[in-house]
């Protein structure tokens, strides 16, 4: 059992999603899905077309609230995640970010001290104010029993996009910068870490009940680099949040961390760990048991595309393995656009025991 447990005890306020964090696990676990708002929903695609650019959608509270609520209306998930993106932080710092249809994000890469000097943390609060407004309106509009999750990207993952200028298969630009000029790269990571602390604090102040830190590229670092670029910045974020808001659970999602996941859980101080698809159910049980964190995960998003008996078998396996442990049902990574919406409804029924 972890020593942070008492501060979270009794604070669930009837929200099922928060109960595992207060060690009040119920028979059936809470469920939400990473990327639950998105292109697999026709009603999302309709709003997305109206919004213009993807960042316009992130910065338009009225539309962002609408797409945040769409999956709650359809499926009644136990938590909503505020609609935004991890790349609003570099955008707010002044690095030009755009999203190219079918190709993903594009940024003017940063690679030097001169590039870093052009980024301005003082721009961040005003630029991110619309996201806080979205959080405020979502909390007002959501049913009382549905929790609201705020989020940011972990500094390492955000830095891989800032250095690479796009999503890359191997995150080579950031890894090379970190090897060749660790102090220079550290300034980038520090800048993102501080902005992320402000961003998460702003979301809690606006009404977020819990937070998730997405470290989608944690798996690309060797053991020797993992502590400096993944664990240390995450620990700094969690520490700053805990100092201000000890009762708000923080979930870390170190995708691909594999055998380093338990160390991540222990050393960052997170309350919950998002488990990717590759982690065994044995590892998830150990995280939720011995390590004393809430385990969240880890259905393969492609099983949600496949549906049928394969989906059902795996969902029942996960539920049986995690029975009685502090656990939140989720995917091992985000929903993919080709997911049939009716398979999501089937999944929710299975987890709720109506299947
Ligand atoms: O429903 C939710 O989960 C809330 C919103 C959310 C989005 N992105 C919306 C989005 C969240 C939590 C994210 C996190 C995010 N964004 C991550 C971490 C999780 C992960 O998937 O690994 C990362 C790495 C990003 C960066 C990003 N944003 C990429 C690489 C892309 C392009 C790939 C893609 O799926 O298109 C995006 C765009 C994006 N972010 C979309 C959505 C719904 C699709 C864009 C569109 O609708 O045109």
């Amino acid at each position: 059992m972890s020593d942070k447990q008492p501060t979270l005890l009794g604070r669930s306020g009837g929200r099922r999603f928060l109960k595992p964090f207060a060690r009040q696990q119920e028979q059936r676990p809470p469920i939400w899905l990473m990327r639950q708002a998105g292109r697999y929903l026709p009603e999302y695609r309709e709003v997305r077309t109206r919004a213009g650019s993807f960042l316009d959608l992130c910065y338009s509270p009225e539309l962002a609230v609408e797409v945040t609520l769409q999956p709650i209306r359809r499926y009644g998930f136990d938590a909503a995640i505020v609609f935004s993106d991890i790349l609003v932080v570099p955008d707010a710092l002044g690095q030009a970010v755009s999203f190219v249809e079918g190709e993903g994000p594009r940024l003017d890469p940063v690679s030097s001290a001169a590039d870093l000097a052009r980024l301005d943390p003082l721009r961040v609060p005003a630029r991110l104010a619309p996201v806080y407004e979205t959080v405020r309106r979502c909390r007002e509009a959501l049913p009382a029993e549905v929790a609201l999750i705020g989020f940011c990207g972990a500094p390492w993952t955000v830095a891989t996009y800032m250095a690479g200028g796009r999503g890359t298969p191997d995150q080579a630009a950031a890894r090379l910068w970190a090897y060749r000029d660790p102090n220079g790269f550290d300034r980038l990571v520090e800048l993102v870490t501080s902005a992320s602390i402000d961003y998460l604090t702003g979301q809690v102040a606006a009404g977020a009940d819990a937070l998730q830190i997405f470290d989608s590229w944690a798996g690309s670092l060797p053991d020797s680099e993992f502590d400096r670029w993944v664990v240390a910045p995450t620990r700094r974020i969690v520490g700053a949040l805990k100092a201000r808001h000890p009762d708000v659970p923080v979930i870390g999602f170190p995708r691909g961390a594999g055998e380093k996941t338990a160390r991540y859980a222990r050393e960052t101080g997170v309350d919950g760990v998002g488990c990717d698809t590759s982690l065994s159910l044995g590892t998830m049980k150990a995280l939720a048991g011995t390590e004393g964190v809430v385990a969240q995960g880890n259905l393969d998003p492609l099983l949600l595309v496949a549906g049928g008996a394969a989906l059902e078998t795996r969902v029942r396996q996960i539920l049986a393995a995690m029975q009685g442990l502090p656990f939140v049902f989720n995917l091992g990574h985000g929903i993919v656009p080709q997911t049939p919406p009716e398979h999501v409804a089937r999944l929710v029924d299975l987890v709720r025991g109506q299947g």
Side-chain angles (χ1 to χ4, degrees):
M1 282 289 158
S2 96
D3 54 4
K4 57 202 170 251
Q5 184 195 342
T7 58
L8 302 175
L9 263 180
R11 305 298 289 263
S12 56
R15 293 182 179 141
R16 182 186 293 270
F17 170 79
L18 296 173
K19 291 193 185 250
F21 298 93
R23 297 302 182 270
Q24 299 164 348
Q25 185 76 38
E26 296 185 335
Q27 178 70 13
R28 74 140 179 102
I31 176 172
W32 72 282
L33 303 179
M34 290 188 277
R35 292 284 191 96
Q36 63 192 20
R39 285 168 297 187
Y40 74 107
L41 289 177
E43 60 268 36
Y44 169 84
R45 293 196 297 271
E46 192 273 315
V47 176
R48 173 76 180 78
T49 310
R50 258 198 287 148
S53 81
F54 176 70
L55 280 180
D56 285 341
L57 176 53
C58 294
Y59 293 139
S60 307
E62 193 184 330
L63 300 180
V65 170
E66 170 57 23
V67 295
T68 303
L69 299 180
Q70 284 172 347
I72 306 303
R73 286 192 204 112
R74 225 187 227 260
Y75 305 113
F77 290 120
D78 297 300
I81 180 161
V82 61
F83 193 85
S84 179
D85 196 82
I86 67 167
L87 299 178
V88 299
V89 167
D91 180 69
L93 284 165
Q95 184 178 18
V97 178
S98 61
F99 286 80
V100 182
E101 188 65 50
E103 288 183 39
R106 290 286 181 278
L107 304 84
D108 291 339
V110 291
S111 59
S112 65
D115 292 340
L116 289 183
R118 279 191 287 276
L119 301 180
D120 181 4
L122 297 177
R123 294 174 82 248
V124 173
R127 185 77 180 161
L128 295 181
V131 181
Y132 306 146
E133 181 59 23
T134 302
V135 172
R136 209 168 288 117
R137 293 193 199 178
C138 282
R139 189 54 277 173
E140 266 173 38
L142 280 169
E145 68 275 14
V146 178
L148 180 60
I149 301 172
F151 73 93
C152 71
W156 163 250
T157 285
V158 174
T160 68
Y161 287 95
M162 294 177 81
R166 54 170 67 201
T168 50
D170 54 6
Q171 297 75 55
R175 288 162 60 200
L176 283 171
W177 188 353
Y179 283 131
R180 287 176 175 150
D181 174 21
N183 292 337
F185 187 68
D186 193 47
R187 279 194 284 280
L188 170 62
V189 169
E190 274 297 302
L191 197 63
V192 176
T193 302
S194 300
S196 303
I197 291 169
D198 292 347
Y199 186 38
L200 293 181
T201 306
Q203 293 179 67
V204 174
D209 302 299
L211 299 168
Q212 179 152 321
I213 302 171
F214 287 89
D215 216 340
S216 305
W217 297 119
S220 65
L221 284 172
D223 197 43
S224 57
E225 305 300 296
F226 187 79
D227 287 358
R228 181 159 188 191
W229 306 123
V230 170
V231 171
T234 304
R235 182 171 52 226
R236 190 154 98 72
I237 294 176
V238 175
L241 263 299
K242 290 288 165 193
R244 296 173 210 183
H245 303 287
D247 53 340
V248 173
V250 182
I251 303 164
F253 177 52
R255 190 169 73 93
E259 62 182 355
K260 298 190 284 300
T261 308
R263 188 164 102 220
Y264 172 95
R266 236 174 282 142
E267 295 181 5
T268 58
V270 291
D271 305 292
V273 173
C275 299
D276 68 60
T277 310
S278 75
L279 291 186
S280 69
L281 294 177
T283 298
M284 285 191 20
K285 284 165 76 165
L287 284 168
T290 335
E291 300 296 341
V293 290
V294 175
Q296 176 180 277
N298 79 339
L299 186 78
D300 186 347
L302 290 189
L303 273 175
L304 205 49
V305 178
L311 171 68
E312 289 186 22
T313 304
R314 183 60 179 169
V315 170
R316 291 190 208 285
Q317 264 173 10
I318 295 174
L319 290 174
M322 300 310 291
Q323 187 62 48
L325 290 164
F327 172 58
V328 174
F329 198 99
N330 206 314
L331 302 176
H333 199 192
I335 296 188
V336 297
Q338 67 266 37
T339 304
E342 61 275 18
H343 290 182
V344 179
R346 177 78 187 123
L347 169 64
V348 172
D349 282 350
L350 285 167
V351 173
R352 298 227 161 121
Q354 291 156 28

